[in-house]
C-alpha cells in the first residue's frame, strides 16, 4: 500500500512523503520516500493499494498482458515438423515465424547464438544439436516436443506476461504522473512495448523527477525540443 504522510520540517513548514507498506523477508514493514515509481497496475498483475489520495487514485488500469511460454531446448530439430524439403545438414535458418493460426502450437522458433560471435563462426545446421528457443501460447507437451525434435537432452520453460494485449482503437494510455512525485513508467507499454521502450521511459521519468524536484519546470514539456535537437545534430 502507498499512502501520503505529512511530517513537520525544521523550517516550521510541513513536507509530504509517501509511506510504502510492504512485506519483506522479516515480515511486514514500512518506509518513507520522497519519490515512488509504480509497477504495472493491471488487474491480476498488481495488488498495490493507494490510500489517502485526493482525488482517489485507481489501483488498476484497464487492459491485460499477453501470456507467452518460452521454452529452451538443446537438441536436434525434426525437419518434417517444419514441412521443409531441405536436409537437416543443409538447414541453417536462424528464425522461423508462424501465422496467427489456431492450428499452430508455436509462435516462433529461433536458434540461440553465442553472445560473443567468434571470428569465422558458422551457425550449426539442424543436424547438429544446439539450443533452440520456442515461443508458444501454451506449455509444450512431451508429445509436441517429440514431434519438433528428433532428440533432445535438456529443456527449460518460462511462463511470462510478455507485453500488453492491444485491441485497436487503443484506449487512452495511463498517465506518467499519478501524483506529485508518484510516477508510472509502465504507461509507455500501452503505446508500444519493448525493453528499449521501457529504458527510454525510465530515463525520461528520472529526468522528469529531477527537473520537477529542482523546480526546473522550464525543462519539462519543451514543445520545441525536438526541433532544436535536430538543428544541433
Amino acid at each position: 500500500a502507498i499512502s501520503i504522510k505529512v511530517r513537520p520540517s525544521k523550517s516550521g513548514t510541513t513536507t509530504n512523503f509517501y509511506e510504502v507498506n510492504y512485506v519483506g523477508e522479516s515480515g511486514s514493514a514500512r518506509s518513507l520516500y520522497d519519490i515512488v515509481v509504480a509497477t504495472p497496475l493491471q488487474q491480476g498483475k498488481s495488488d498495490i493499494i493507494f490510500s489517502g489520495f485526493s482525488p482517489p487514485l485507481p489501483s488498476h488500469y484497464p487492459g491485460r498482458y499477453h501470456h507467452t511460454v518460452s521454452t529452451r531446448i538443446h537438441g536436434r530439430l525434426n525437419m518434417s515438423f517444419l514441412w521443409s524439403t531441405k536436409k537437416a545438414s543443409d538447414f541453417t535458418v536462424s528464425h522461423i515465424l508462424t501465422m496467427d493460426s489456431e492450428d499452430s502450437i508455436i509462435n516462433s522458433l529461433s536458434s540461440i547464438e553465442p553472445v560473443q560471435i567468434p571470428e569465422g563462426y558458422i551457425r550449426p545446421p539442424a543436424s547438429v544439436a544446439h539450443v533452440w528457443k520456442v515461443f508458444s501460447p501454451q506449455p509444450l507437451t512431451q508429445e509436441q516436443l517429440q514431434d519438433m525434435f528428433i532428440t533432445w537432452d535438456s529443456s527449460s520453460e518460462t511462463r511470462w506476461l510478455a507485453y500488453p494485449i492491444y485491441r485497436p482503437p487503443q484506449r487512452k494510455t495511463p498517465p506518467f504522473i499519478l501524483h506529485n512525485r508518484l510516477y508510472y513508467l509502465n504507461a509507455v507499454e500501452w503505446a508500444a512495448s519493448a525493453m528499449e521502450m521501457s529504458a527510454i521511459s525510465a530515463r525520461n521519468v528520472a529526468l522528469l523527477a529531477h527537473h520537477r524536484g529542482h523546480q526546473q519546470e522550464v525543462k519539462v514539456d519543451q514543445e520545441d525540443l525536438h526541433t532544436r535537437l535536430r538543428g544541433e545534430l
Side-chain angles (χ1 to χ4, degrees):
I2 301 175
S3 58
I4 297 180
K5 296 296 180 180
V6 179
R7 295 290 186 268
S9 64
K10 295 181 180 179
S11 62
T13 59
T14 58
T15 304
N16 292 334
F17 294 93
Y18 295 109
E19 183 180 81
V20 179
N21 293 266
Y22 58 94
V23 178
E25 294 181 356
S26 58
S28 299
R30 62 182 62 183
S31 299
L32 292 178
Y33 296 92
D34 296 310
I35 298 173
V36 173
V37 177
T39 65
L41 297 174
Q42 267 62 45
Q43 189 74 37
K45 182 69 175 175
S46 169
D47 56 359
I48 294 179
I49 298 174
F50 299 102
S51 61
F53 289 86
S54 181
L57 293 181
S59 296
H60 300 102
Y61 286 97
R64 295 184 298 113
Y65 282 85
H66 180 84
H67 178 264
T68 293
V69 180
S70 174
T71 309
R72 279 81 59 203
I73 306 102
H74 181 263
R76 293 170 54 207
L77 196 61
N78 184 2
M79 300 305 298
S80 62
F81 174 80
L82 302 176
W83 296 85
S84 175
T85 59
K86 282 191 174 184
K87 295 180 180 180
S89 58
D90 298 329
F91 191 86
T92 58
V93 174
S94 61
H95 292 78
I96 301 168
L97 307 178
T98 67
M99 301 288 288
D100 186 9
S101 170
E102 295 181 357
D103 298 329
S104 178
I105 63 172
I106 68 171
N107 297 328
S108 66
L109 176 67
S110 304
S111 173
I112 302 298
E113 309 293 341
V115 175
Q116 298 292 337
I117 303 295
E119 186 177 354
Y121 171 78
I122 300 176
R123 182 179 297 113
S127 58
V128 177
H130 61 283
V131 181
W132 296 86
K133 179 178 66 177
V134 181
F135 282 161
S136 59
Q138 300 296 332
L140 298 174
T141 65
Q142 289 295 308
E143 291 76 12
Q144 290 170 337
L145 286 175
Q146 289 173 358
D147 290 338
M148 297 173 61
F149 294 89
I150 297 176
T151 60
W152 77 90
D153 51 41
S154 63
S155 64
S156 175
E157 177 187 278
T158 302
R159 308 182 189 190
W160 59 304
L161 300 177
Y163 48 83
I165 298 176
Y166 299 107
R167 301 190 186 281
Q170 189 63 34
R171 323 179 166 87
K172 182 180 178 181
T173 58
F176 285 90
I177 303 174
L178 300 179
H179 194 255
N180 185 27
R181 298 186 308 280
L182 180 60
Y183 300 98
Y184 185 38
L185 64 85
N186 292 86
V188 76
E189 286 193 303
W190 300 91
S193 180
M195 293 174 62
E196 294 82 359
M197 292 294 294
S198 294
I200 292 172
S201 181
R203 179 180 185 273
N204 285 340
V205 165
L207 287 172
L208 180 63
H210 174 81
H211 294 325
R212 298 181 80 209
H214 290 81
Q215 287 78 48
Q216 298 173 343
E217 298 293 335
V218 68
K219 295 185 177 181
V220 178
D221 293 334
Q222 302 176 61
E223 295 184 1
D224 63 337
L225 179 61
H226 182 267
T227 302
R228 289 191 287 107
L229 288 178
R230 186 170 56 183
E232 293 175 2
L233 293 175

